[in-house]
Structures are given as C-alpha cells and as structure tokens.
Amino acid sequence: MSGRVTAVSSNGEYSFTKPNRDSVRLLAGLGVEGDVHAGVTVKHRSRIAQDPTQPNLRQVHLIHEELFAEVAEGGFEVAPGELGENITTRGIDLLGLPVGTLLRIGDSAVLEVTGLRNPCLQIDHFQDGLLKRVVGRDEAGNIVRRAGIMSIVREGGVVRPGDAVETELPSGPHRPLDRV
C-alpha cells in the first residue's frame, strides 16, 4: 500500500493546531525537530501528569486527508494541521494498519506505527460537535477512533508535501491498533 504526503505541520508551542510547513525534519528516537511533542519521554500534558518517565509513543501524529472530506459531510471544515497532526497523507488506510507497520517516507525517513490517537475534548473547543465525528461506536458498542495514528521515528529525514509513503507490514500475526 502506498500514498502521498499532502501536508506537514509542526509547532514549538503547546497549541491544538499546527501551522503547515514547507518541510519537517524527523529525528530518530525523538520526533519532529522543533515540535513541542518531540522527545524520548512523553510530551503530551495528560501523559506527563500520569507519569513523565513513560516512553513517547506519540512522537509523530499522522492523519489521512480523506477524514476531512468525511467530516465536511457533517458541516465541519478542517484543513491539514488543524487537528494537531504532523503529517497529512492521502491514499493510505492509516487506521487499518497494524501495530509495528513501517512507513517509509521520502528519501530516508522511517516511522513505526504505535497506535491510534486518542482524541480529547480540545477537538470540540476547535469546532463544537467535531469530537463525535472522529470518535464513535461500532455496531457492537466498541469505541472507534478515527482521528489518526501515532508513531515513533526509527530513521530520520526530511519530509515534504508530495513525498511518497510506502508501507511495510510487520511479520507474524498482526495486532490491530489501539489508543496510545
């Protein structure tokens, strides 16, 4: 499965949205250079409050651009970076990837998928009612999270809009994504 990067975003300050950039540099084991969520240990405020020594499994946040069209059907206008993601993609079923999938992006960057983003109430502060569009329940009553995936940086490199994204599934039995 392959796709493309449609936008890259980062922010050095805690803010829900992240401005689009011409490029971002991924740093192995850390995340997006200059982004507030980069680091070996957790950087999300809620995670720091629980245990600041936890490993940072949320170094890079990816969202599939197709989500924006889906929420637009409900009257919500969302653009790349506005939900806090670092990399916006097109053409890849990010939510269907198993844990441990490698995403090879551009010339040298490699991300390892760690899990699903666990959306919070900040989404409703951005646009009231949007949280219900990105988190719901399936027929069995299980929570379904659709606000993107999280990853760690295995190999660094520069990522730009237009870069190819190639997926490499892990061997062995595949483990479905869960929140991280």
Side-chain angles (χ1 to χ4, degrees):
M1 182 182 340
S2 64
R4 291 253 169 237
V5 172
T6 60
V8 293
S9 310
S10 67
N11 198 338
E13 299 177 14
Y14 281 103
S15 174
F16 183 70
T17 62
K18 295 186 180 197
N20 294 152
R21 309 288 183 193
D22 292 332
S23 66
V24 293
R25 179 177 302 282
L26 302 182
L27 304 173
L30 295 174
V32 178
E33 182 178 52
D35 192 81
V36 70
H37 294 115
V40 173
T41 57
V42 293
K43 300 300 175 195
H44 288 78
R45 289 176 172 165
S46 64
R47 305 297 165 110
I48 291 171
Q50 291 174 352
D51 178 2
T53 66
Q54 294 176 78
N56 187 2
L57 300 179
R58 301 165 55 104
Q59 294 174 357
V60 180
H61 175 203
L62 297 95
I63 282 185
H64 51 296
E65 187 178 63
E66 294 86 349
L67 176 65
F68 304 151
E70 292 173 27
V71 299
E73 293 174 7
F76 297 95
E77 189 175 322
V78 180
E82 289 186 336
L83 294 182
E85 76 275 12
N86 300 111
I87 299 175
T88 310
T89 65
R90 174 166 279 295
I92 297 177
D93 177 13
L94 295 176
L95 304 177
L97 297 173
V99 172
T101 298
L102 298 181
L103 301 173
R104 299 184 182 282
I105 307 175
D107 293 333
S108 60
V110 179
L111 299 176
E112 180 181 334
V113 176
T114 57
L116 295 169
R117 176 190 186 184
N118 190 29
C120 64
L121 282 175
Q122 287 186 28
I123 290 178
D124 273 349
H125 296 300
F126 171 66
Q127 287 186 39
D128 190 40
L130 183 56
L131 183 60
K132 287 183 180 177
R133 300 296 288 195
V134 298
V135 177
R137 294 200 179 264
D138 63 16
E139 303 79 34
N142 299 310
I143 295 175
V144 177
R145 295 171 179 86
R146 302 175 344 132
I149 63 171
M150 305 308 284
S151 63
I152 57 174
V153 181
R154 287 291 177 206
E155 295 179 31
V158 174
V159 176
R160 296 176 179 84
D163 280 352
V165 181
E166 299 293 330
T167 60
E168 182 181 321
L169 299 177
S171 60
H174 291 169
R175 216 173 39 156
L177 297 179
D178 198 2
R179 69 183 177 99
V180 292

